[in-house]
Amino acid sequence: MNAMTHILVVDDQPNIVDMLATVLRFHGFAVDTAGTAAEALARAAECRPDLVLLDVMLPDGDGRDVCRQLDGPAVVFLTARDAREDVIAGLTYGGDDWITKPFDVDVLLARVRAVLRRAGAAPVADRMLRYADLELDPDTLDVRRAGAPLQLSPTELKLLRYFLQNPGRVLSRPQILRAVWEYDVEAGSNVVDTYVGYLRRKLDRLGPPLLVTHRGFGYALREAKP
């Protein structure tokens, strides 16, 4: 995923963050997220995004102040404020565009791409999801490991895609439930563990382990340390 354009989504509303992250990843972008001003600055320093979708009203500060402290990325403000003076102030603070909530996702995508073109960011190279010797084509749903095809069930495919969209990150069971099954189940349910087990067995037949268990936390797509 190194060739992908990288976007940082910053908003204190989890439903907006989850929706934007899902849409952007589907359209081939690498995505990181943050919910506060402090977290946004820390994540930006770590992942060096090409563009930041930045909420103006954050619980610990003003997004426009965050914008002034960012070094390098294009910034598109997300806000419920649509007064002329607010828009002018946001652009004066260094923003490249201003999108008011609620917004049309297709319009947001078009404006994000336009800002990236103006900023000269690298285009999205392709939609193939890859990690180590594992790859998934999101258009054909073909999965290969070390060049060999893998036959996965629809749920296993969704689970693998979520891991490939978040390589190296420890994903909690509730996160996986929301992303793959799109609902919450009882805390004692073992549906995540069961399907991770199914997927792990199929992957491990063709190479060293790639799904690592972090007891008490969740799972990560990560090459196991020797």
Side-chain angles (χ1 to χ4, degrees):
M1 296 179 68
N2 291 337
M4 299 171 101
T5 301
H6 204 129
I7 295 178
L8 174 62
V9 177
V10 183
D11 199 294
D12 64 335
Q13 297 182 57
N15 60 324
I16 291 179
V17 171
D18 290 346
M19 181 271 292
L20 285 174
T22 299
V23 169
L24 290 166
R25 286 174 181 138
F26 179 80
H27 285 272
F29 296 98
V31 180
D32 274 284
T33 63
T36 66
E39 188 180 358
L41 291 170
R43 295 297 299 141
E46 179 182 341
C47 68
R48 310 298 298 177
D50 299 291
L51 182 142
V52 180
L53 283 172
L54 181 58
D55 188 16
V56 171
M57 300 177 66
L58 295 169
D60 59 340
D62 191 312
R64 291 169 295 190
D65 293 329
V66 173
C67 179
R68 290 197 301 182
Q69 297 178 65
L70 292 171
D71 181 20
V75 174
V76 175
F77 285 115
L78 299 175
T79 180
R81 300 176 178 176
D82 58 0
R84 180 172 177 269
E85 56 271 22
D86 288 324
V87 176
I88 292 172
L91 298 177
T92 302
Y93 271 66
D96 296 275
D97 204 346
W98 184 280
I99 298 175
T100 55
K101 302 174 184 178
F103 48 79
D104 182 287
V105 170
D106 290 332
V107 172
L108 181 142
L109 281 167
R111 294 173 77 167
V112 162
R113 290 187 174 114
V115 169
L116 287 168
R117 283 195 300 271
R118 293 198 300 268
V124 177
D126 60 47
R127 287 167 50 81
M128 192 73 74
L129 298 174
R130 297 184 179 90
Y131 183 79
D133 60 354
L134 180 64
E135 61 181 28
L136 184 156
D137 186 326
D139 294 318
T140 66
L141 301 182
D142 290 334
V143 180
R144 293 182 178 274
R145 180 160 195 203
L150 272 170
Q151 298 299 318
L152 302 181
S153 71
T155 300
E156 291 166 348
L157 273 169
K158 290 183 70 175
L159 180 59
L160 178 60
R161 181 168 61 183
Y162 186 53
F163 278 119
L164 283 167
Q165 289 169 336
N166 296 276
R169 294 180 60 188
V170 178
L171 303 172
S172 69
R173 289 171 179 82
Q175 284 177 308
I176 296 170
L177 279 170
R178 287 192 296 270
V180 178
W181 282 269
E182 299 177 359
Y183 65 90
D184 293 321
V185 299
E186 294 180 6
S189 172
N190 64 353
V191 63
V192 171
D193 303 321
T194 299
Y195 273 90
V196 168
Y198 294 157
L199 181 59
R200 177 182 277 148
R201 285 192 288 274
K202 291 184 178 181
L203 295 178
D204 289 358
R205 290 173 193 157
L206 298 172
L210 286 179
L211 286 176
V212 177
T213 301
H214 291 263
R215 297 193 181 280
F217 294 95
Y219 299 96
L221 181 65
R222 181 180 296 164
E223 293 179 276
K225 296 179 180 179

